[in-house]
Amino acid sequence: MPEITSITPQQRDKTRCNIEIDGKFYCGMKLDTVLASGLKVGMSVDTDFLSHLQLESEKLTALDKALKHISVSMKTEKEIRAFLKKKGYLEEVSNYVLEKMKDYGYVDDETYAQSYTEGASKRKGSRLIQLELRQKGVDEQIIDSALSALTDETESAKRCLEKYMRGKPFDQATLQKAYRNLLSKGFDYDTCKAAIESLKNGD
């Protein structure tokens, strides 16, 4: 059976401690829960028991922290899970928190993807937006749905191009750099070419 090899106070929150199992970090837990449960170094322990302890003693605290985390900006389900894991919460607690947040309407990857796409499309192409949403853990079908709302990306590419060219010489070398800059922002080849041609024609 797994053994508790370390129980140490957390540096940023002295009311909580880190628990290591078999020499590896396992979870964080309130100090009073550790004391009340009689947990100590060298004790053989069932990890399901620790998960249950953390769930019952810290689920509301974890929910409060997650709600504060999204108060600045919306987050995806994956991002919230990563945040809770970094804080030392186990999967059972994360599941509880996300279930509650979904019930409250605070976590909705579909709404997030639509909002993110709408804002990002003013300065990025669909390829880059797609990549970023994937990294945030958004489902492919949700990403496709959000991107389908985009119409003509050429206007966004034109705005990015105009901003890039501001104060720069209008020559072939600079236009080539501008073209590569548009590609790096996620616009496809045809869109980049159309924006460059529009600039050359004085549109």
Side-chain angles (χ1 to χ4, degrees):
M1 183 175 287
E3 180 180 302
I4 298 176
T5 50
S6 175
I7 301 177
T8 56
Q10 293 185 356
Q11 292 184 348
R12 295 186 179 182
D13 187 352
K14 300 302 182 183
T15 66
R16 302 184 81 235
C17 53
N18 293 327
I19 297 177
E20 290 187 3
I21 301 292
D22 293 337
K24 296 182 179 180
F25 173 76
Y26 183 74
C27 70
M29 192 171 292
K30 287 183 178 179
L31 182 58
D32 56 3
T33 302
V34 171
L35 295 174
S37 304
L39 300 179
K40 57 185 179 181
V41 175
M43 174 185 289
S44 296
V45 63
D46 184 352
T47 53
D48 289 339
F49 172 68
L50 290 180
S51 298
H52 178 74
L53 273 182
Q54 190 190 69
L55 176 63
E56 293 305 312
S57 65
E58 300 196 60
K59 59 186 180 182
L60 296 181
T61 303
L63 176 59
D64 183 60
K65 287 184 178 180
L67 291 174
K68 288 180 179 177
H69 184 55
I70 66 168
S71 63
V72 178
S73 62
M74 292 177 65
K75 300 290 188 298
T76 64
E77 180 176 337
K78 179 182 178 180
E79 289 175 322
I80 294 172
R81 282 191 181 278
F83 168 77
L84 291 172
K85 184 176 181 179
K86 186 177 180 180
K87 293 292 183 182
Y89 292 109
L90 298 170
E91 185 177 2
E92 288 80 358
V93 175
S94 296
N95 290 341
Y96 171 86
V97 169
L98 283 163
E99 182 180 349
K100 289 297 180 182
M101 294 181 78
K102 288 178 181 178
D103 289 343
Y104 298 152
Y106 292 139
V107 178
D108 185 336
D109 281 4
E110 187 171 351
T111 300
Y112 178 92
Q114 292 171 351
S115 177
Y116 187 87
T117 299
E118 183 179 349
S121 63
K122 298 174 183 178
R123 61 190 185 280
K124 300 175 183 178
S126 58
R127 289 182 174 182
L128 182 55
I129 295 172
Q130 182 184 52
L131 175 62
E132 291 175 341
L133 287 174
R134 282 175 179 168
Q135 291 173 339
K136 292 175 181 292
V138 180
D139 182 82
E140 286 293 335
Q141 288 187 333
I142 294 177
I143 294 175
D144 291 342
S145 177
L147 292 176
S148 68
L150 298 180
T151 52
D152 185 10
E153 290 189 76
T154 305
E155 290 303 316
S156 295
K158 285 181 182 179
R159 287 194 295 268
C160 291
L161 178 60
E162 289 169 5
K163 183 177 179 180
Y164 179 85
M165 291 295 294
R166 203 168 296 157
K168 293 183 175 65
F170 192 84
D171 55 32
Q172 190 62 30
T174 304
L175 288 176
Q176 288 177 350
K177 291 179 181 179
Y179 183 82
R180 290 195 292 270
N181 179 263
L182 289 177
L183 287 175
S184 71
K185 291 182 180 295
F187 295 103
D188 62 37
Y189 297 102
D190 291 337
T191 300
C192 295
K193 183 177 179 181
I196 294 290
E197 289 300 318
S198 177
L199 182 65
K200 287 181 177 179
N201 295 331
D203 295 343

